[in-house]
Amino acid sequence: MKTQQETAQLPATRSRLADALGALEEDEFLIVGSKHHQHYVQFACHGHHGMWMEAVSNAYIAHPGERLSDVQNAHLAALGWDDPGSADRNWSRDVAAPAPVAQVARLACITLFEVYEIPHPGAMEYPAFRSQGGSIRFPTLRLQRRDPAPPSILAGPIPATVM
């Protein structure tokens, strides 16, 4: 159960995430997730073409104790995430431009705090980077920043090892 202080932090975290998402430019990525588990939501900005979101599925969770339960998977489906199906992929959402960053941040926070059960923002971290290499800082996000994987790893799709 969350303390009152932890619960009070959630609207501020959602607002700061919305600000960070609004600052993303085309071909920039932000991944927000747990410091201690393989639970994350990632965002790929496509500029005037919208934004692609992914929430990790069991296909990319290596540790059996961290895998999503049937209840958690049902919660993701109820939130409107597109089911990964039998394919080796994550839950996803294609967001049309202009991306409604407040709604996107709300969905991400519900996913992170309710579905993935991250207890509070202090248990979270983020890497952010450009597709051509180079990290991005979001100090106003007030989450621990983690350096992204080297650019050679980022040449293809975002690997599960990034988070």
Side-chain angles (χ1 to χ4, degrees):
M1 187 168 158
K2 291 181 180 20
T3 66
Q4 285 183 330
Q5 180 182 5
E6 290 168 344
T7 302
Q9 293 175 10
L10 301 184
T13 300
R14 185 174 60 234
S15 177
R16 289 191 295 269
L17 179 57
D19 290 345
L21 293 172
L24 282 176
E25 296 180 4
E26 189 166 356
D27 296 329
E28 292 184 340
F29 302 86
L30 172 63
I31 304 171
V32 179
S34 172
K35 287 180 183 177
H36 309 290
H37 303 287
Q38 292 180 297
H39 299 145
Y40 59 87
V41 174
Q42 57 189 5
F43 311 89
C45 182
H46 297 303
H48 298 291
H49 304 287
M51 180 178 293
W52 180 258
M53 300 174 63
E54 289 188 353
V56 71
S57 72
N58 284 334
Y60 294 100
I61 299 176
H63 190 278
E66 296 179 14
R67 293 179 63 81
L68 304 176
S69 68
D70 290 343
V71 170
Q72 288 171 302
N73 282 313
H75 196 170
L76 287 167
L79 288 170
W81 288 98
D82 293 330
D83 192 306
S86 60
D88 194 24
R89 46 173 248 176
N90 284 324
W91 292 86
S92 61
R93 290 284 295 264
D94 192 7
V95 182
V101 293
Q103 292 174 327
V104 169
R106 181 179 183 278
L107 174 60
C109 285
I110 291 170
T111 300
L112 293 163
F113 294 116
E114 292 182 16
V115 179
Y116 297 150
E117 300 173 350
I118 296 176
H120 54 82
M124 294 169 51
E125 64 182 3
Y126 79 95
F129 50 92
R130 293 173 184 83
S131 64
Q132 300 301 315
S135 65
I136 305 168
R137 292 184 176 272
F138 289 106
T140 58
L141 199 49
R142 295 188 186 175
L143 300 178
Q144 181 176 328
R145 182 178 166 273
R146 187 170 53 80
D147 285 329
S152 61
I153 292 174
L154 299 175
I158 300 172
T161 57
V162 171
M163 190 50 136

